Amino acid sequence: MPVDKEALRRVPLFSGLDADDLAHVAALAVERHYDRGDIILLEGTPGGALQYTHAGLVKVFKTSPEGKEQVLRLIAPGHTFNDVPALDGGPNPASAAAMEPSVIYSVGRAELQKLMLERPAVAAAAVRTMASALRHLVTLVEDLSFRHVTARVAKILLDQEEATADGQPPHRLTQQEMAAMAGTAREMVGRALKELETAGAIEMRQGRVVVLDTQRLRLLA
């Protein structure tokens, strides 16, 4: 199935390309479909391809030798992942898996390198993309180091509310998924949700989190 070139225009690296260049990238890109739970990338394996979420939701995560999972980022439609090995040619720094049925576009490193050499705007966009990723990781380190579990869970719920308000399709996170994002155990997430419910920020309805007071949730986060 041909890759939608107008979808590729939403990728910051390609937004400045003219119609011919964009059609060229689209012709070289590969479209893949994944079901919920399918592994897209494995940490440590040779990668080199830029990945773009066209539809669905992807989690980028690290796994400890004991099997503990730490989610680094959720990649919604319109965003890329695996940027680092696509730029430096090294192994995948983290794994990626589909959290729901997803459609992923993949652009090879060789083509990306050629575009960066020929189109300075693509290279500048790559720098901005890496800077944004670095800021996100610094914030993640801050959250894991300085926020207690209830504040981390509050921030996760707040981020989900803001993403939905921005037009991203809603995704109902399980307590296990929240635990992987907060760097804690599922039982601790359950306690945190009870605290947030007691504070009047959320309400649990048949196991589903409903945000009642965004401002209060923001203060708790």
Side-chain angles (χ1 to χ4, degrees), residues 4-5 8 25 31 33 39 44 50 80 95 111 131 143 145 154 157 172 174 176 180 190 192 200 202 215 218 220:
D4 182 357
K5 69 176 183 179
L8 286 176
V25 175
E31 178 180 307
H33 293 245
I39 296 295
L50 181 71
T80 59
S95 298
E111 180 59 29
D143 289 345
S145 300
L157 295 174
R172 179 186 170 187
T174 66
Q176 186 59 52
I202 67 169
Q215 185 60 34
R218 184 173 288 108
L220 293 167

Side-chain angles (χ1 to χ4, degrees), residues 153-213:
V153 173
K155 187 173 184 297
I156 289 169
L157 295 174
L158 186 62
D159 288 345
Q160 291 297 105
E161 285 293 298
E162 292 176 346
T164 301
D166 288 341
Q168 294 182 13
H171 175 82
R172 179 186 170 187
L173 292 170
T174 66
Q175 291 191 23
Q176 186 59 52
E177 288 170 343
M178 283 189 273
M181 295 174 69
T184 188
R186 187 185 62 79
E187 293 77 12
M188 295 297 292
V189 169
R191 295 176 193 172
L193 291 173
K194 289 181 181 178
E195 290 184 20
L196 294 174
E197 187 172 28
T198 300
I202 67 169
E203 182 177 88
M204 300 299 295
R205 299 177 185 171
Q206 297 180 334
R208 178 172 175 265
V209 179
V210 177
V211 175
L212 300 178
D213 191 329

Side-chain angles (χ1 to χ4, degrees), residues 60-101:
V60 177
F61 64 98
K62 301 276 285 186
T63 306
S64 73
E66 296 77 26
K68 181 180 178 181
E69 181 180 297
Q70 173 65 59
V71 173
L72 303 178
R73 198 164 196 173
L74 298 182
I75 312 297
H79 298 274
T80 59
F81 59 100
N82 208 46
D83 307 74
V84 172
L87 293 172
D88 71 4
N92 299 329
S95 298
M99 296 185 71
E100 57 188 48

Side-chain angles (χ1 to χ4, degrees), residues 5-6 8-9 14-28 111 114-115 118-119:
K5 69 176 183 179
E6 290 307 314
L8 286 176
R9 192 180 295 283
F14 306 142
S15 61
L17 296 180
D18 60 32
D20 289 341
D21 285 339
L22 202 61
H24 179 62
V25 175
L28 294 174
E111 180 59 29
K114 183 179 178 181
L115 282 170
E118 296 177 350
R119 301 287 187 274

